[in-house]
Amino acid sequence: MQFLAYILIYPFLWMISILPFRLLYFFSDSVYILLYYVIGYRRKVVTSNLMLVFPDKSKAEIKRIEKAFYHHLCDMIVESIKSMTISEAEMKKRFTFSNVELLQEIENNGQSIALMCAHYGSWEWIFILQSYMKNKGYAVYKRLANTYFDNLVKRIRAKYNSHLITTKETIPVLMKAKVDGHLTTCGFVSDQSPRLDKAYHWNEFMGVKVPVHTGAEMLAKRLDMAVVFFKVKRLKRGYYETTFETITLTPKAYENYQITDIFLKLVEQQINEAPEYYLWTHKRWKHMNKNS
């Protein structure tokens, strides 16, 4: 059944991926109408999240953010599909870095990098970063249920020397790289909610106390990796700029969870600047008030 689903869906995805961007975004607008008005995909979750973290905003402003978010979500979906066939030159034009030399300097100084980010702006095209780096890139992800589509996603990322690894694979893969003397850049999307039985640290996020992921900090300390935050800014439709900010080059000098808390504050600043580009469909605050 998995292979049948793959051979039926893949040609449709490929046809979308070869569309010029003007038509691609026309398709995105059509998906928006279907997703927002017809299906109503997770609208209750989105509205609830926005009202929870922005209690002072009016209903009209909440609705504006909500609609803008769904427009952006649909753009993200089609941009992800576009990754199948987009050229390296085109992606470099559309996903730029304001200070990639910051990472290159860390790399040249012989230190691996833990790259922390949120589900904000566009994280789908960040993989083009490895075309500017000499080391090997990894990103922690959740394996897709369909193995054929899972392998497709891996192949797309591997075009730019980026490799997807699961949470269970992360420690052994990065440990082996360190033992072998290889530098790595590993991306962690660390803003979502961990399982309660894996909740080692709680703190306020957007004014609400929730459990937070601490894996990136733990690995950075264990492997002495530089910790860098990357902030994505949407310049206009289909164009993004990423800016890197060093959190620390000496992670072991920080108290437990201090690095994670710094990361959360940076994410909050990003969300408050333009909340419509955050991923509001996730149930980020589902475990609030459960740490007593």
Side-chain angles (χ1 to χ4, degrees):
M1 285 297 293
Q2 286 192 356
F3 181 67
L4 179 61
Y6 178 76
I7 61 174
L8 290 175
I9 297 173
Y10 177 83
F12 177 66
L13 297 178
W14 184 83
M15 289 177 63
I16 295 172
S17 76
I18 64 173
L19 292 174
F21 274 94
R22 181 169 55 85
L23 292 179
L24 191 75
Y25 289 123
F26 176 80
F27 179 74
S28 175
D29 290 339
S30 302
V31 174
Y32 164 74
I33 294 172
L34 179 66
L35 207 64
Y36 185 76
Y37 289 103
V38 180
I39 299 175
Y41 173 69
R42 292 202 171 192
R43 278 186 60 178
K44 290 183 179 179
V45 173
V46 173
T47 303
S48 176
N49 284 341
L50 288 171
M51 292 180 67
L52 176 68
V53 303
F54 297 121
D56 297 330
K57 291 189 182 297
S58 67
K59 289 184 179 180
E61 179 62 8
I62 292 292
K63 182 62 67 175
R64 183 201 68 78
I65 296 171
E66 181 180 287
K67 288 184 176 182
F69 158 70
Y70 275 96
H71 271 293
H72 177 64
L73 176 65
C74 294
D75 282 357
M76 281 275 295
I77 292 171
V78 299
E79 287 166 4
S80 178
I81 297 172
K82 186 68 175 178
S83 299
M84 293 172 61
T85 56
I86 190 172
S87 69
E88 181 175 332
E90 183 70 21
M91 189 176 286
K92 282 184 173 181
K93 183 176 73 172
R94 291 176 171 272
F95 199 97
T96 59
F97 302 97
S98 65
N99 61 340
V100 71
E101 63 275 3
L102 183 148
L103 296 188
Q104 292 169 337
E105 182 178 356
I106 294 172
E107 180 184 62
N108 291 336
N109 288 335
Q111 190 173 19
S112 291
I113 303 166
L115 199 58
M116 299 183 71
C117 70
H119 286 90
Y120 185 94
S122 173
W123 56 94
E124 286 296 332
W125 287 351
I126 184 63
F127 296 94
I128 193 63
L129 169 66
Q130 286 308 120
S131 65
Y132 298 90
M133 307 290 288
K134 293 177 289 187
N135 60 12
K136 193 169 185 179
Y138 294 97
V140 182
Y141 87 119
K142 185 176 181 180
R143 183 179 282 118
L144 299 180
N146 187 305
T147 56
Y148 297 97
F149 282 111
D150 189 71
N151 289 332
L152 172 64
V153 172
K154 286 182 177 180
R155 289 198 303 272
I156 292 170
R157 303 301 186 241
K159 288 193 299 183
Y160 307 110
N161 197 29
S162 292
H163 304 273
L164 299 179
I165 52 177
T166 64
T167 302
K168 290 183 178 180
E169 294 170 329
T170 305
I171 293 178
V173 167
L174 297 185
M175 284 288 291
K176 185 178 187 304
K178 185 173 179 64
V179 170
D180 293 344
H182 298 152
L183 296 180
T184 60
T185 298
C186 189
F188 299 87
V189 187
S190 302
D191 60 315
Q192 296 303 302
S193 182
R195 288 166 31 190
L196 276 179
D197 61 342
K198 300 290 185 181
Y200 305 115
H201 178 55
W202 294 69
N203 202 352
E204 286 195 358
F205 179 55
M206 298 299 292
V208 183
K209 197 164 188 179
V210 290
V212 293
H213 279 290
T214 58
E217 177 179 338
M218 178 273 291
L219 274 170
K221 288 182 175 181
R222 186 169 178 177
L223 301 177
D224 195 31
M225 303 172 77
V227 183
V228 178
F229 173 73
F230 78 80
K231 177 181 179 180
V232 180
K233 182 179 181 181
R234 184 181 185 271
L235 302 177
K236 60 181 180 178
R237 200 173 198 184
Y239 288 85
Y240 305 90
E241 181 184 66
T242 291
T243 300
F244 300 103
E245 181 175 339
T246 301
I247 294 179
T248 180
L249 300 178
T250 55
K252 294 179 181 179
Y254 285 71
E255 297 290 333
N256 283 342
Y257 312 128
Q258 189 177 359
I259 292 172
T260 299
D261 290 343
I262 293 171
F263 162 73
L264 286 178
K265 291 300 179 185
L266 292 170
V267 176
E268 286 183 341
Q269 292 173 14
Q270 191 176 26
I271 293 172
N272 284 320
E273 287 175 7
E276 58 268 34
Y277 303 129
Y278 188 62
L279 189 62
W280 296 105
T281 47
H282 277 202
K283 296 181 180 180
R284 178 63 187 93
W285 293 270
K286 63 183 177 182
H287 293 314
M288 63 179 182
N289 303 323
K290 293 182 181 179
N291 65 324
S292 54

